[in-house]
Amino acid sequence: MSLKRKDLLSLAPLSVDEIALILETADSFKEVTGREIKKVPALRGKTVVNLFFEPSTRTRTSFELAAKRLSADVINFSPSASSVVKGETLLDTARNIEAMQADIIVLRHSSAGAAETLARGVKSSVINAGDGWHEHPTQALLDLYTIRQRGMDFAGLRVAIVGDVSHSRVARSNIYALTKLGADVRLVGPSTMMPWGVEKLGAKVYYDMDEGLRGVNVIMMLRLQLERQGRALFPTIREYTRLYGLTAERVRLADPGAIVMHPGPINRGVEIAPDVADSLSSVILDQVANGVAIRMGILYLMSGSN
Amino acid sequence: MTTRTNKPTDRRDAKLVMDAGDIARALTRIAHEILERNKGVKDLTLVGIRTGGVHLAHRLVKRIQGIEGVQVPIGELDITLYRDDLALRKDQPVLRKTSVPFDMTDKVVVLVDDVLFTGRTIRAAMDGLMDLGRPGEIQLAVLVDRGHRQLPIKANYIGKNLPTSREEKVQVLLEENGEEDRVVISKS
């Protein structure tokens, strides 16, 4: 089978088979990233544009490296500094990029639905690298890949996603994908950070962290967006850490073989204790390494001529 | 580049060109030829091209072991990422794993494939090998050479030379894929 899609905007509409295909394709690229010469000619002559309206180092670098290892030409475009200030719309910026013959546009934007809007307006393939509070599909896919790499089976897998679920596109993409694959998803956090009606997505909500972590196989921590402090979501960072910070003691409530994940960048000592972030059960750096392989896989699958 | 299918043909016009005995004898001869040309197993390695060449490479390794008593290193190569038609395709082909678990620096690498046709697969395979290391020498073994080369490529070891027309389809069916060992030719 192949991925018959022009764009990758969201995990919500993807089938189980499509997700499996992406993970298997990433396997082949994982082998490539382990070679001495980490480059293959698959995307020779193609142009990938990283269009990032929001600051990002990790995701942008990961996409850049992935495209370069596939021999594509990569251009990083961060319009925040230039055209937006001059009043250019998203679609006009993108059309300009398209006019330069971009095959694939990787978009990061602060508004939910930006990738969808862009995909409708341009012929190039669009990959959503995070749109507002909506989705961050490649992050969830690399999370899935990391879980699978640890030999875990998704059916019946107990996963706790802990933190500010409301404002997390990573959480949303993971909820869509994990529930689809048959995992038992628990959302843990204060009520101010839990979106209304999130249970409808098939996840269970826990306001008590200890209860939520009991027996889980995967603990997925979300970054506490410190910039949101003062918006009445939590009284103090110290209180948040006491109630929802991951400590070694809390890890012990989970399954003995449980892994700890975090999309980064981590706030050491806030949502995750330093000793937990550096512990053997932490797969945080594996996630980063797998991110390149997953993105190579997605770029490869999206690179068919339109 | 030729599109490979591993599906068995139940087509009525399919004509048998090699049976199980023919394939076994051809592989035994190729194993001897490889050893003769390379004067034994020193520095000898085999790499099967996915998917058709992998099983044949394993069979050759077994035969070489039977003759010399040594198991030579074997690898598996997926050439998809090196195809010359990737940019032209609408849907990208499914990738399979490459696994060459030995250092091939200065080694003799015998590439193994089932059918040699245009030569484009072999070009891709050689580029793929070069990205994995620097072999001392690359040789090519194929079960069937059906002609119609589009590149200046030639096999060192050939099971059977098979004159074909460009439109015909040659299929190597193997036990490892749940088939009876045989090579068939059919009008496409």
Side-chain angles (χ1 to χ4, degrees):
Chain A
M1 83 171 273
S2 57
L3 203 61
K4 293 196 191 320
R5 289 177 183 276
K6 174 179 152 298
D7 314 291
L8 180 68
L9 308 174
S10 155
L11 291 189
L14 251 59
S15 69
V16 171
D17 285 346
E18 284 175 306
I19 293 174
L21 173 71
I22 294 171
L23 299 184
E24 273 156 38
T25 304
D27 263 340
S28 300
F29 289 111
K30 188 75 190 167
E31 182 267 319
V32 172
T33 61
R35 292 181 190 172
E36 205 159 313
I37 299 172
K38 300 172 182 56
K39 202 173 174 104
V40 289
L43 262 67
R44 218 153 37 99
K46 303 262 178 185
T47 304
V48 176
V49 176
N50 285 327
L51 181 56
F52 277 61
F53 286 89
E54 263 188 351
S56 154
T57 314
R58 193 175 322 252
T59 306
R60 207 213 64 220
T61 312
S62 184
F63 266 110
E64 186 174 351
L65 205 52
K68 283 183 170 165
R69 286 183 176 167
L70 290 166
S71 304
D73 294 312
V74 196
I75 292 162
N76 291 313
F77 203 73
S78 304
S80 48
S82 60
S83 40
V84 176
V85 183
K86 295 172 191 159
E88 191 176 51
T89 68
L90 166 64
L91 220 49
D92 283 327
T93 306
R95 282 185 184 139
N96 274 278
I97 288 168
E98 196 177 34
M100 298 179 217
Q101 318 274 314
D103 298 288
I104 299 175
I105 298 174
V106 179
L107 179 74
R108 159 73 59 96
H109 199 282
S110 57
S111 299
E116 176 95 39
T117 306
L118 184 67
R120 286 189 198 155
V122 299
K123 284 193 207 78
S124 320
S125 289
V126 176
I127 297 174
N128 182 6
D131 59 334
W133 304 341
H134 176 226
E135 279 217 48
H136 191 352
T138 60
Q139 175 69 42
L141 287 165
L142 75 87
D143 290 342
L144 297 178
Y145 186 86
T146 308
I147 293 170
R148 200 189 64 151
Q149 190 183 38
R150 288 289 168 131
M152 294 179 175
D153 201 357
F154 292 110
L157 188 77
R158 286 185 295 273
V159 183
I161 302 176
V162 185
D164 187 357
V165 177
S166 267
H167 303 101
S168 174
R169 48 194 173 211
V170 176
R172 226 159 325 274
S173 285
N174 267 304
I175 295 168
Y176 283 131
L178 285 164
T179 51
K180 214 177 288 238
L181 294 168
D184 163 19
V185 181
R186 304 176 182 185
L187 305 174
V188 182
S191 56
T192 49
M193 293 178 169
M194 212 45 85
W196 276 105
V198 72
E199 299 89 349
K200 285 191 188 133
L201 298 180
K204 217 171 152 207
V205 174
Y206 291 78
Y207 299 113
D208 180 273
M209 190 176 185
D210 292 359
E211 203 189 315
L213 292 188
R214 202 148 285 145
V216 297
N217 309 102
V218 176
I219 306 172
M220 204 178 267
M221 299 304 295
L222 301 172
R223 188 175 75 89
L224 183 66
Q225 293 162 308
L226 295 171
E227 58 273 20
R228 290 190 197 286
Q229 211 211 346
R231 289 234 214 132
L233 294 175
F234 53 98
T236 64
I237 291 173
R238 194 155 63 162
E239 182 183 313
Y240 181 86
T241 304
R242 190 164 55 77
L243 292 173
Y244 297 104
L246 187 63
T247 57
E249 204 178 7
R250 281 190 166 131
V251 174
R252 279 194 282 278
L253 295 170
D255 184 80
I259 55 171
V260 176
M261 310 181 80
H262 193 299
I266 61 174
N267 296 308
R268 273 177 189 268
V270 180
E271 73 265 8
I272 187 164
D275 56 333
V276 174
D278 302 330
S279 70
L280 284 176
S281 49
S282 159
V283 295
I284 297 172
L285 292 177
D286 296 339
Q287 289 174 269
V288 179
N290 293 337
V292 178
I294 274 286
R295 289 174 178 122
M296 285 173 84
I298 291 163
L299 287 170
Y300 168 75
L301 290 169
M302 314 264 21
S303 69
S305 58
N306 292 317
Chain B
M1 200 168 275
T2 47
T3 312
R4 284 166 195 288
T5 54
N6 291 308
K7 288 194 193 110
T9 40
D10 291 311
R11 307 168 52 123
R12 258 177 246 115
D13 60 347
K15 209 179 91 192
L16 186 73
V17 287
M18 285 177 97
D19 63 17
D22 297 331
I23 293 175
R25 283 185 290 275
L27 289 175
T28 303
R29 174 172 54 75
I30 290 174
H32 279 284
E33 284 174 1
I34 290 173
L35 290 170
E36 187 182 7
R37 184 188 175 100
N38 295 294
K39 298 185 169 48
V41 291
K42 191 178 171 291
D43 294 334
L44 186 66
T45 66
L46 265 66
V47 171
I49 299 175
R50 282 199 185 272
T51 53
V54 170
H55 297 312
L56 295 174
H58 278 281
R59 290 192 192 185
L60 284 172
V61 165
K62 255 190 223 141
R63 279 175 168 72
I64 289 170
Q65 188 172 16
I67 301 162
E68 296 278 315
V70 178
Q71 193 180 350
V72 299
I74 180 163
E76 302 174 351
L77 186 68
D78 182 63
I79 58 114
T80 311
L81 295 169
Y82 294 87
R83 293 174 68 120
D84 55 14
D85 59 350
L86 274 185
L88 310 171
R89 295 173 62 104
K90 196 161 167 49
D91 298 314
Q92 298 299 45
V94 173
L95 293 185
R96 284 165 222 286
K97 273 254 190 69
T98 286
S99 160
V100 180
F102 52 87
D103 179 12
M104 57 182 142
T105 309
D106 298 332
K107 295 276 195 297
V108 173
V109 177
V110 180
L111 273 176
V112 183
D113 203 1
D114 51 0
V115 181
L116 178 57
F117 184 20
T118 60
R120 286 175 191 268
T121 300
I122 306 303
R123 193 284 306 163
M126 288 194 288
D127 279 353
L129 274 187
M130 294 300 185
D131 275 1
L132 294 172
R134 188 184 180 279
E137 188 179 340
I138 298 177
Q139 299 171 3
L140 175 62
V142 296
L143 185 62
V144 176
D145 181 352
R146 61 168 293 188
H148 302 290
R149 219 75 77 238
Q150 293 168 355
L151 297 171
I153 280 168
K154 185 168 169 272
N156 302 88
Y157 315 102
I158 299 167
K160 186 182 178 66
N161 278 300
L162 187 65
T164 60
S165 82
R166 204 176 279 272
E167 289 70 37
E168 281 169 322
K169 195 167 151 195
V170 176
Q171 278 183 293
V172 175
L173 305 162
L174 297 174
E175 257 174 18
E176 289 88 334
N177 298 321
E179 292 287 330
E180 196 184 322
D181 271 3
R182 64 192 192 280
V183 179
V184 295
I185 183 167
S186 56
K187 302 265 179 274
S188 66

